[in-house]
Structures are given as structure tokens and as C-alpha cells.
Amino acid sequence: LDDAEPVALLLFDNNPDEIEGVGKIIGLWLKAGENVRAAELARELQSHAEKTKRMREFLAMLREISQQSQPGIAFLEYLGTVYNTNNREHEYCETLIRLFDLNFAAHNFLKAADCLDRAVDVDAYETGHQQRLEMLRGKIDPARYDLIGTRIVSVMKTKPEEEEQTSSTAEE
């Protein structure tokens, strides 16, 4: 991979249609467990994509790569930043949930709580937020737990009211 990366970048520099070759190298770095290297290469490719107005293609490629592999925290943090910066809310929320899972598994409960908090901000109706919050019970500061819980509960209370209004409107 060390030898293939500069060749793939050179091919890409000469022909921007070779973006997939660099994407394959990113995917291989991820499969090798080299998340930092994968994120560094993705950042380099991102600057090319921004200059050549090919961010949409770049973001689609990153999504595909991340779904085909098991990226670690470093790459997912990079991915979350890219999605957030480019207003890709759905992808950003998915990435935050994946980060929650990895941070929780690593017993980094504060970062897991931060991921859940941001995911609730992005999409408060996402399935599983309540269960994720319950996983954090007793593992983070109670005030932080209650704050996140209040936002989730307020959304859950609003949803049945909206459904009642919709069904009563349909009956009329």
C-alpha cells in the first residue's frame, strides 16, 4: 500500500476519472486497520475533489467505502466532519451512531455520549436513541444523561401527538 498510494495519486492527478483507484487504496488502508492513513489519504483526495468541483462523487465514494469496510474511530471522525461540513445530515447521523457504538465498545463513554448528543441534534427521531441512552446509564455524569434524555423524551412525546392529529384529521 505504501508503494501503491503515490502511484494511484499520480494517476489521479493526470486523470481525475481515476478517483476510484485512490478510493480502493483508502478501502485497503481501512481493511488493514490503518484508519489514520486512510483518513489522511481521504483528506488529500478531498482537497482535489473540492478544487475540481467533484465533492458529490467523492462523498458517494466515501460512503460506499465506509459501508464495505469496518472503519475505526479515526476514520469515522474524519467522515463525520466531512458529512457535517457538506450538509449530509443522514450520512452524518449514521456516522455518529457508528461512532457511538465504537466509543461505547472501547469504554469511552464520554465520547459515546457526545456522539449520541450530536445524533439527537441531527435527527431526534432516529430509531434506537432511547436504547443508546439507556446503555449510558450510570456511565456518564447524571446531569449530562438527563439533558440528553430530556431531548429524546420531548421528541417522543411530540411524535404521538402529531400522529393523533394526523389520524383525527383523516377521520374528519
Side-chain angles (χ1 to χ4, degrees), residues 12-75:
F12 175 72
D13 283 339
N14 291 329
N15 181 3
D17 291 333
E18 294 292 330
I19 191 170
E20 294 299 321
V22 181
K24 287 179 183 175
I25 302 294
I26 293 170
L28 291 170
W29 278 127
L30 290 174
K31 286 180 182 167
E34 295 286 341
N35 283 271
V36 173
R37 292 287 300 264
E40 289 170 355
L41 181 54
R43 275 188 199 89
E44 193 171 334
L45 190 57
Q46 178 184 350
S47 80
H48 287 286
E50 288 169 343
K51 289 176 191 170
T52 59
K53 310 277 190 239
R54 299 181 75 165
M55 279 303 289
R56 180 176 295 232
E57 182 181 352
F58 172 72
L59 292 170
M61 183 188 68
L62 283 182
R63 182 175 178 142
E64 184 178 324
I65 291 167
S66 72
Q67 288 176 337
Q68 291 175 354
S69 59
Q70 297 294 325
I73 291 172
F75 189 79

Side-chain angles (χ1 to χ4, degrees), residues 27-170:
L28 291 170
W29 278 127
L30 290 174
K31 286 180 182 167
E34 295 286 341
N35 283 271
V36 173
R37 292 287 300 264
E40 289 170 355
L41 181 54
R43 275 188 199 89
E44 193 171 334
L45 190 57
Q46 178 184 350
S47 80
H48 287 286
E50 288 169 343
K51 289 176 191 170
T52 59
K53 310 277 190 239
R54 299 181 75 165
M55 279 303 289
R56 180 176 295 232
E57 182 181 352
F58 172 72
L59 292 170
M61 183 188 68
L62 283 182
R63 182 175 178 142
E64 184 178 324
I65 291 167
S66 72
Q67 288 176 337
Q68 291 175 354
S69 59
Q70 297 294 325
I73 291 172
F75 189 79
L76 287 176
E77 285 176 344
Y78 161 74
L79 199 57
T81 301
V82 171
Y83 286 148
N84 189 29
T85 302
N86 286 279
N87 299 316
R88 303 292 287 255
E89 289 183 359
H90 179 73
E91 292 89 347
Y92 180 49
C93 191
E94 284 178 347
T95 303
L96 289 171
I97 290 168
R98 290 173 78 181
L99 274 168
F100 171 90
D101 292 339
L102 290 177
N103 280 305
F104 189 87
H107 300 281
N108 193 342
F109 303 120
L110 293 176
K111 279 197 167 193
D114 183 49
C115 292
L116 178 59
D117 196 20
R118 289 184 289 155
V120 170
D121 279 344
V122 174
D123 185 357
Y125 295 101
E126 178 69 36
T127 305
H129 283 334
Q130 186 68 44
Q131 292 87 348
R132 287 180 200 91
L133 180 64
E134 196 57 39
M135 291 167 63
L136 292 171
R137 183 183 298 278
K139 293 176 175 59
I140 60 171
D141 178 59
R144 178 90 189 269
Y145 180 91
D146 291 343
L147 178 65
I148 297 169
T150 302
R151 292 182 22 240
I152 292 172
V153 169
S154 68
V155 167
M156 293 178 83
K157 286 181 180 177
T158 304
K159 195 172 184 178
E161 290 173 10
E162 290 172 357
E163 290 171 1
E164 280 180 28
Q165 290 175 354
T166 304
S167 64
S168 67
T169 305

